[in-house]
């Protein structure tokens, strides 16, 4: 029987607890494991050579010696512990394409897709079969293989097919269905080659990848002629070859996509595609979509006051709901430019945002970043007035217009942003993080931002014991749950630094603690900007090792009490959760949700049991054992300290960008207040 006597709503006492002290060693990370590849193999370079399943159950890595293994598979158990890396050789002498060297993981973690080098394997699907044994399935394209354009396979969130660029002629695009078979295993069907109309074809732009809407109902790629600057293909609910419709989309006023490799942005809500245009006809071009994924006429928007796009090869920043876009401008009337987009995909008028107090974006400024919640955009300032400028944005639904207010935020103590360092935004939009220029005073700089998009004073953190951020790293990596960041370090006494955050009553971000970890057997983190990858669940950190004889990769699990999301939160989907508290195996647990997060709800007034959830209507409703849409929010942890829960999010597009928070407690009837432990809080932002 659950010991709920001490956690009824009447005994929840609201307490404020602000923790800003630094703890040299916390107890968040588990022991690191060196993963040496077998068969005289090593990991290849490149950002996409490693792909981790979102649920953290396995990862795939491309190997250097294709004679012995094309890829290496490593499985992880529910505790985040890695098994022995296993080599997998593709059949029929097929190898991973050297010109398209990368792996793409399906969002449901069921398979990975790689582009092969032709012959019988233009596409290779790697998956576990119904016995759990990994195998490579070859897909032979009709009429030729994938061109070597540094492209990748792309997979929609529902994982029902794989799309790649074809080689022209009968297959400008190729769609490979991946339905589940009778055993629930995704199995590739016959590939469908699609030819674009009016002799248009995929432009031979190096690095171009198809852009897919979130629902997989529409695909866009740049076209090769003026009859179709963009080509949009609508995908039918059932993947019948005759039901696909490809449409050339000419840009208005003789505009066109300005440069090879210019990005194509698919709106998160599936209502439009966006690209850059020619600066005289339209700096940004929006192609609205109907409910079937078919395009309406493209609409170009010029930036005001003769402002233009600064760099048409950089990604366009977009909020989680797709309502606001932003990019960098070229002059002081608009350091950045914000463009509103209505629910039907029709653009409003662009707004120049000039930085205040004569601040400006420096030449080496990183990309504009967007708060997923849609409350602000941010990028670098000049350093003398504001090292970062955060632009609060307010969207008016009825007029499809935006108002923007830019605010400078100066780093403390004459610290500047480290050259080439990027800003990383928390998934719940609560903070920005970047590296400081001087490791003696600031390894890390944290910029809190409130729920309305107003920036607070930045604060800095330097690592003690002569530990510094690795010079090769340009940005830390954020936990998908917004609880911590991790960065590679540059001394032999530490390979990773994990910095976890605390919140005060208003949600203001502070530092909870810092944990340094060292890899075993004299292996160290590789000196690469892409050295670290995090599983979508947040349970695993995987780093590239510097000594391939000891470990090509090094995995480190999170091993404290916390909740892990085993898929991307999306409206209309069921989200599986793992409630993990390894020190409480066999104990009962109770989980809850809240719309807010801050530093303290004291259970029965016990400061050792602080629940970082706001007492609101969602929290009270989630404590109801019959709460609709929740399953497994009370139960018993298994022998490894794991429990399983589920949230059903209703199909409501207006919820995208919403962040909710979850935590749980474990119950000990022998404890004075009946509680053994309170888990760390996890944020869930709907995509």
């Amino acid at each position: 029987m659950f010991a709920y006597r001490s956690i009824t709503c009447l005994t929840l006492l609201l307490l404020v607890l602000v923790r800003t002290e630094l703890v040299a060693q916390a107890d968040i990370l588990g022991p690191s494991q060196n993963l040496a590849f077998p068969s005289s193999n090593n990991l290849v370079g490149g950002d996409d050579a490693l792909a981790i399943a979102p649920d953290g159950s396995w990862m795939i890595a491309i190997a250097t010696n294709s004679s012995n293994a094309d890829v290496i598979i490593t499985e992880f158990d529910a505790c985040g512990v890695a098994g022995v890396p296993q080599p997998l050789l593709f059949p029929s002498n097929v190898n991973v394409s050297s010109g398209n060297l990368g792996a793409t993981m399906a969002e449901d973690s069921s398979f990975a897709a790689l582009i092969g080098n032709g012959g019988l394997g233009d596409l290779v699907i790697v998956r576990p079969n119904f016995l759990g044994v990994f195998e490579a399935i070859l897909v032979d394209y009709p009429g030729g293989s994938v061109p070597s354009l540094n492209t990748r396979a792309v997979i929609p969130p529902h994982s029902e097919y794989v799309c790649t660029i074809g080689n022209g002629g009968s297959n400008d695009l190729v769609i490979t269905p991946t339905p589940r078979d009778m055993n629930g295993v995704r199995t590739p069907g016959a590939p469908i080659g699609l030819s674009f109309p009016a002799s248009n074809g995929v432009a031979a732009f190096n690095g171009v990848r198809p852009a897919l809407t979130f629902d997989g109902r529409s695909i866009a790629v740049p076209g090769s002629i003026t009859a179709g600057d963009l080509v949009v293909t609508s995908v039918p609910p059932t993947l019948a070859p005759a039901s696909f419709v490809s449409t050339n989309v000419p840009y208005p006023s003789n505009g066109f996509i300005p440069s090879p490799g210019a990005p194509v942005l698919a709106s998160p809500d599936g209502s439009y595609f966006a690209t850059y245009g020619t600066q005289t006809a339209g700096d940004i071009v929006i192609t609205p979509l109907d409910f079937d994924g078919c395009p309406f006429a493209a609409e170009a928007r010029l930036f005001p006051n003769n402002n233009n796009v600064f760099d048409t090869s950089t990604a366009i920043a977009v909020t989680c709901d797709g309502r606001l876009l932003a990019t960098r401008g070229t002059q002081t009337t608009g350091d950045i430019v914000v463009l509103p987009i209505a629910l039907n995909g029709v653009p409003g008028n662009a707004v120049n945002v000039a930085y205040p107090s004569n601040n400006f974006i420096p030449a080496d400024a990183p990309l504009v970043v967007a708060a997923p919640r849609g409350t602000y955009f941010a990028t670098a300032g000049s350093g003398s007035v504001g090292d970062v400028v955060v632009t609060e944005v307010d969207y008016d639904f009825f007029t499809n217009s935006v108002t923007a207010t830019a605010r400078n935020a100066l780093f403390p103590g004459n610290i500047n942003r480290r050259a080439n360092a990027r800003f990383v935004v928390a998934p719940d939009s609560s903070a920005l993080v970047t590296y400081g220029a001087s490791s003696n005073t600031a390894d890390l700089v944290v910029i809190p931002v409130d729920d309305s998009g107003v920036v607070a004073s930045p604060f800095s953190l330097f690592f003690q014991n002569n530990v510094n951020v690795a010079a090769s790293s340009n940005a830390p990596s954020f936990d998908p749950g917004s609880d911590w960041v991790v960065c590679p370090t540059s001394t032999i006494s530490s390979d990773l630094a994990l910095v976890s955050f605390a919140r005060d009553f208003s949600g203001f971000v502070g530092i909870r603690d810092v944990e340094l970890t060292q890899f075993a057997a004299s292996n160290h983190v590789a000196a690469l900007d892409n050295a670290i990858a995090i599983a979508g669940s947040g349970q695993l950190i995987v780093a590239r090792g510097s000594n391939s004889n000891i470990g090509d990769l090094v995995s480190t699990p999170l091993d404290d009490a916390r909740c892990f999301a085993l898929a991307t939160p999306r409206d209309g989907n069921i989200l599986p959760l793992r409630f993990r508290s390894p020190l409480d195996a066999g104990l009962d647990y109770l989980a809850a949700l809240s719309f807010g997060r801050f530093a303290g709800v004291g259970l029965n007034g016990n400061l050792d049991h602080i629940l970082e959830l706001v007492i609101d209507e969602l929290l009270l409703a989630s404590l109801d054992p019959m709460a609709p849409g929740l399953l497994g929010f009370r139960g018993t942890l298994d022998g490894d300290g794991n429990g399983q829960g589920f949230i059903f999010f209703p199909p409501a597009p207006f919820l995208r960008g919403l962040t909710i928070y979850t935590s749980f407690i474990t119950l000990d009837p022998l404890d004075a207040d009946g509680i053994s432990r309170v888990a760390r809080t996890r944020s869930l932002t709907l995509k």
Side-chain angles (χ1 to χ4, degrees), residues 124-138:
V124 184
I125 301 296
V126 176
R127 62 163 200 194
N129 63 20
F130 73 99
L131 297 175
V133 178
F134 280 84
E135 55 189 5
I137 311 297
L138 303 183

Side-chain angles (χ1 to χ4, degrees), residues 1 77 90 97 183 204 240 280 290 315 335 344 375 404 496 522 588 609 655:
M1 179 178 293
D77 65 18
F90 296 166
S97 168
N183 296 306
T280 56
D290 66 17
D335 292 280
N344 59 0
T375 52
L496 298 179
S522 299
D588 293 338
H609 295 149
L655 292 178

Side-chain angles (χ1 to χ4, degrees), residues 474-485:
N474 288 333
S477 299
F478 237 117
D479 163 38
S482 304
D483 189 53
W484 47 265
V485 295

Side-chain angles (χ1 to χ4, degrees), residues 334-368:
D335 292 280
I336 68 169
V337 183
V338 180
L339 181 68
I341 313 288
L343 287 174
N344 59 0
V346 175
N349 293 320
V351 174
N352 283 333
V353 181
Y355 285 178
S357 303
N358 295 317
N359 200 1
F360 58 89
I361 301 181
D364 70 336
L367 297 176
V368 178

